[in-house]
């Protein structure tokens, strides 16, 4: 008899990308639902799963994705997509619940947010928590038995909550803090979240309810920062409370200090205004605690930091698509709609092997930088964050390897052909669409490095933008090509220094 088929939505995101291999390891079959399946292509488990292309708001596509499914994981949320994220969450949940009923699946599993003890959507809750609670209610009101797991702060390498905690603590030995740092929080390790999610496959058919899930520690955010400092070997942080700092101001402060952009930081900060503590542990009746108990906060930090040091971060908060980012095809695609297209093309001969050149190409960005005029890149990143963009601080998931769908500073990997091609799509705020293509090829006894920047303007401002930055291309793109070429030649000689 075949094992249950599990549908994972949000499989290109932080938790979905980690849940898939856990389900496979437990012996379940997995189907991933994704709006852009190509983003899953380079995951190590991609050849072991079925993939269904579907937009979560398309009833017919969602219904087709649910065909033959036993358990469906609903890991979709519109966090950080703007003021109307609650409406988007509501509509996608209603679409999914109706499709699940029609498909006759056995169970829905949803990961929501931990809120008030009674699960209400009280006015003093954050919009984010209210939306999470509403989605849970929509799914629970369907005819499909549903398990809603409600978690507070998730601690794991690459999670938005962990990155926020990490950078605030590491970069601010003395910090002026808002009132929410005194709220009580019950964080949970990502490994325990995944354990509960996998365990929900075997829940009895009559279980149709919400469960609070959390780790063994209840802490204030201030104590979480102090414990992070202790675990990571930093000196104790000095905290100066300033009650008048609003969540809006706090989110901008978080966006300035951490890689988490303001549009994502704000709902996270607003959620911390309320006490987020478990009020029951009923899930243990169905998914018993492990023999050694749930993972403590300090141990969760140690595990996350080890993953980061070992460059073994499977997914990051930025794995999911960025709200408002362009998704149009590359202009050379057959179905490109036409219009103006500006190009900056540069080609050079490299006194190094294609393999050496490729190692530099694949290592671009993050801590390695962009090989030209660092101040200009830094200013462009800061300007992007000022207008609500992602800026440069997203960095890389892995310092050496890239895969399709990875975020890379304010770019996203659109295509990668190992040893030959890296194509990046811009996710900074622009009056148009932009790509950067880096290719290497062997030409007889010569290695050729080609760099191509493309820009498709939108409106008169888009054209004006291109011509205004054109005088800087020689310094930025010309310098980038020259320095990457030199770096490859250093690698060829066995000297990695640039």
């Amino acid at each position: 008899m075949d094992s249950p088929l599990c549908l994972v939505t949000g499989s290109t995101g932080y938790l979905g990308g980690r849940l898939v291999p856990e389900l496979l390891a437990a012996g379940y079959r997995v189907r991933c639902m994704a709006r852009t399946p190509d983003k899953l292509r380079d995951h190590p488990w991609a050849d072991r799963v079925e993939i269904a292309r579907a937009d979560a708001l398309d009833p017919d596509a969602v219904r087709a994705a649910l065909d033959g499914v036993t358990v469906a994981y609903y890991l979709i949320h519109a966090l950080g997509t703007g003021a109307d994220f609650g409406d988007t969450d509501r509509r996608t949940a209603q679409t999914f619940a109706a499709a699940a009923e029609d498909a006759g699946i056995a169970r829905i599993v949803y990961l929501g947010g931990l809120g008030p003890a009674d699960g209400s959507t009280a006015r003093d809750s954050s919009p984010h928590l209210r939306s999470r609670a509403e989605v849970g209610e929509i799914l629970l009101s369907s005819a499909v038995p549903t398990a809603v797991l409600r978690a507070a702060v998730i601690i794991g390498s690459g999670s938005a909550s962990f990155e926020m905690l990490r950078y605030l603590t590491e970069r601010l030995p003395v910090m002026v803090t808002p009132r929410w740092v005194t709220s009580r929080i019950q964080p949970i390790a990502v490994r325990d979240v995944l354990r509960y999610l996998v365990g929900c496959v075997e829940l009895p058919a009559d279980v149709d309810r919400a469960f609070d899930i959390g780790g063994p520690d209840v802490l204030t955010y201030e104590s979480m920062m102090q414990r992070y400092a202790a675990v990571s070997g930093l000196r104790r942080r000095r905290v100066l409370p300033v009650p008048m700092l609003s969540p809006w101001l706090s989110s901008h402060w978080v966006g300035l200090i951490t890689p988490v952009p303001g549009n994502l930081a704000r709902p996270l900060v607003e959620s911390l205004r309320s006490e987020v503590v478990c009020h029951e542990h009923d899930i243990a009746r169905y998914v018993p605690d492990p023999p050694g108990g749930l993972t403590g906060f300090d141990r969760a930090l140690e595990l996350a930091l080890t993953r980061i040091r070992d460059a073994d971060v499977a997914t990051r908060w930025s794995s999911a698509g960025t709200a408002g980012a362009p998704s149009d095809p590359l202009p050379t695609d057959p179905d490109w709609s036409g219009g103006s297209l500006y190009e900056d093309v540069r080609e050079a001969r490299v006194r190094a092997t294609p393999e050496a050149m490729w190692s530099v190409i694949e290592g671009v960005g993050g801590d390695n930088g962009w090989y030209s005029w660092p101040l200009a890149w830094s200013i462009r990143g800061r300007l992007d964050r000022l207008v609500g963009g992602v800026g440069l601080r997203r960095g890389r998931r892995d310092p050496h390897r890239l895969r399709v769908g990875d975020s890379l500073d304010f770019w996203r990997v659109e295509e990668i052909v190992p040893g030959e091609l890296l194509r990046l799509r811009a996710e900074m705020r622009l009056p148009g669409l932009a790509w950067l293509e880096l290719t290497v090829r062997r030409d007889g006894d010569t290695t050729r490095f080609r760099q191509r920047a493309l820009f498709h303007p939108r409106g008169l401002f888009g054209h004006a933008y291109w011509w205004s930055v054109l005088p800087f291309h020689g310094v930025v793109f010309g310098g980038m090509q020259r320095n990457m070429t030199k770096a490859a030649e250093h690698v060829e000689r066995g000297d990695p220094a640039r």
Side-chain angles (χ1 to χ4, degrees):
M1 181 177 177
D2 288 337
S3 62
L5 175 61
C6 300
L7 178 78
V8 178
T9 64
S11 52
T12 60
Y14 175 72
L15 271 172
R18 297 190 179 209
L19 176 61
V20 170
E22 296 293 328
L23 289 168
L24 291 170
Y28 300 118
R29 295 178 296 141
V30 177
R31 178 183 297 158
C32 296
M33 187 181 100
R35 184 171 51 188
T36 311
D38 280 351
K39 289 184 179 180
L40 300 173
R41 187 191 71 194
D42 295 333
H43 284 265
W45 39 259
D47 59 351
R48 300 170 57 200
V49 303
E50 302 174 25
I51 297 178
R53 182 190 297 271
D55 186 300
L57 286 170
D58 182 339
D60 293 335
V62 174
R63 172 63 182 83
L66 285 163
D67 189 42
V69 166
T70 305
V71 175
Y73 288 90
Y74 189 81
L75 303 177
I76 298 170
H77 59 85
L79 182 64
T81 60
D84 61 346
F85 73 87
D87 179 62
T88 302
D89 275 340
R90 183 182 310 111
R91 291 186 293 118
T92 54
Q94 290 168 342
T95 299
F96 194 85
E101 285 185 11
D102 188 53
I105 71 172
R107 175 165 301 284
I108 297 171
V109 181
Y110 169 58
L111 181 65
L114 191 57
D118 58 2
S120 65
T121 55
R123 283 185 299 175
D124 60 348
S125 296
S126 73
H128 166 50
L129 289 181
R130 289 200 298 270
S131 179
R132 289 292 187 96
E134 183 183 19
V135 168
E137 291 165 1
I138 290 169
L139 298 176
L140 284 167
S141 66
S142 72
V144 179
T146 298
V148 174
L149 304 183
R150 304 190 304 184
V153 171
I154 296 176
I155 300 298
S157 59
S159 77
S161 296
F162 175 76
E163 293 283 281
M164 193 169 107
L165 173 69
R166 174 189 173 198
Y167 280 90
L168 285 175
T169 309
E170 289 183 353
R171 293 182 172 177
L172 297 174
V174 179
M175 51 189 111
V176 175
T177 58
R179 187 168 46 198
W180 51 260
V181 299
T182 62
S183 299
R184 294 171 73 238
I185 303 162
Q186 191 164 353
I188 183 170
V190 66
R191 58 167 49 191
D192 289 331
V193 174
L194 294 169
R195 186 170 169 278
Y196 285 134
L197 287 170
V198 173
C200 283
V201 176
E202 304 296 337
L203 287 177
D206 61 349
V207 174
D208 187 26
R209 55 162 292 184
F211 296 95
D212 291 354
I213 60 171
D217 301 300
V218 176
L219 308 161
T220 65
Y221 202 86
E222 179 182 347
S223 62
M224 287 168 61
M225 289 190 289
Q226 299 293 9
R227 289 173 74 162
Y228 178 93
V231 168
S232 58
L234 301 172
R235 286 192 288 183
R236 183 174 177 81
R237 276 25 202 161
R238 294 188 62 189
V239 175
L240 307 174
V242 179
M244 72 281 299
L245 275 177
S246 68
W248 183 82
L249 285 173
S250 296
S251 66
H252 284 282
W253 169 62
V254 170
L256 180 67
I257 300 299
T258 81
V260 181
N263 63 343
L264 177 56
R266 183 170 183 179
L268 292 176
V269 166
E270 288 177 333
S271 299
L272 295 173
R273 290 184 304 168
S274 307
E275 181 177 279
V276 279
V277 175
C278 296
H279 297 276
E280 45 85 6
H281 189 49
D282 296 348
I283 189 68
R285 281 189 277 168
Y286 306 100
V287 186
D289 292 348
L294 297 171
T295 309
F297 180 72
D298 289 358
R299 178 59 179 157
L301 292 178
E302 291 169 356
L303 291 168
L305 290 169
T306 298
R307 290 274 189 181
I308 291 168
R309 282 194 296 268
D310 294 345
D312 189 24
V313 180
T315 59
R316 298 181 70 230
W317 61 270
S318 56
S319 298
T322 299
S327 57
D328 295 51
L330 183 74
T332 50
D333 288 353
D335 58 353
W336 177 250
S337 58
S340 301
L341 180 66
Y342 294 114
E343 288 186 287
D344 183 292
V345 181
R346 300 168 190 270
E347 187 166 327
R349 184 173 66 87
V350 188
R351 293 189 296 271
T353 62
E355 292 76 16
M357 188 69 239
W358 178 252
S359 71
V360 174
I361 291 174
E362 194 174 11
V364 74
D367 291 340
N368 289 331
W370 292 90
Y371 290 89
S372 70
W373 203 8
L375 179 61
W377 286 94
S378 176
I379 291 172
R380 184 64 184 87
R382 290 176 184 276
L383 290 174
D384 192 54
R385 291 179 77 88
L386 283 175
V387 296
V390 295
L392 277 176
R393 286 207 208 98
R394 291 192 302 185
R396 299 172 53 109
R397 176 190 58 83
D398 183 295
H400 308 294
R401 298 288 177 264
L402 294 172
R403 64 190 184 202
V404 169
D406 271 359
S407 61
L408 180 58
D409 293 330
F410 47 42
W411 306 89
R412 189 169 297 275
V413 179
E414 183 175 86
E415 181 60 272
I416 184 167
V417 179
E420 299 178 20
L421 164 71
L422 174 63
R423 182 189 303 147
L424 306 175
R425 187 180 71 241
E427 290 190 337
M428 74 278 280
R429 298 299 176 95
L430 288 169
L433 308 174
W435 293 262
L436 179 62
E437 216 176 52
L438 306 173
T439 57
V440 60
R441 63 184 174 87
R442 191 184 298 276
D443 184 7
D445 295 330
T446 302
T447 297
R448 293 281 179 180
F449 171 43
R450 187 170 187 258
Q451 177 183 291
R452 184 168 71 136
L454 303 102
F455 182 67
H456 176 67
R458 282 182 176 152
L460 183 61
F461 185 51
H463 291 275
Y465 173 83
W466 173 264
W467 291 108
S468 69
V469 300
L470 187 61
F472 302 100
H473 281 194
V475 177
V476 176
F477 290 126
M480 181 178 177
Q481 185 196 46
R482 289 191 298 273
N483 291 329
M484 290 184 72
T485 299
K486 290 178 182 176
E489 292 168 354
H490 280 301
V491 171
E492 183 72 13
R493 294 195 297 267
D495 176 12
R498 297 208 306 261

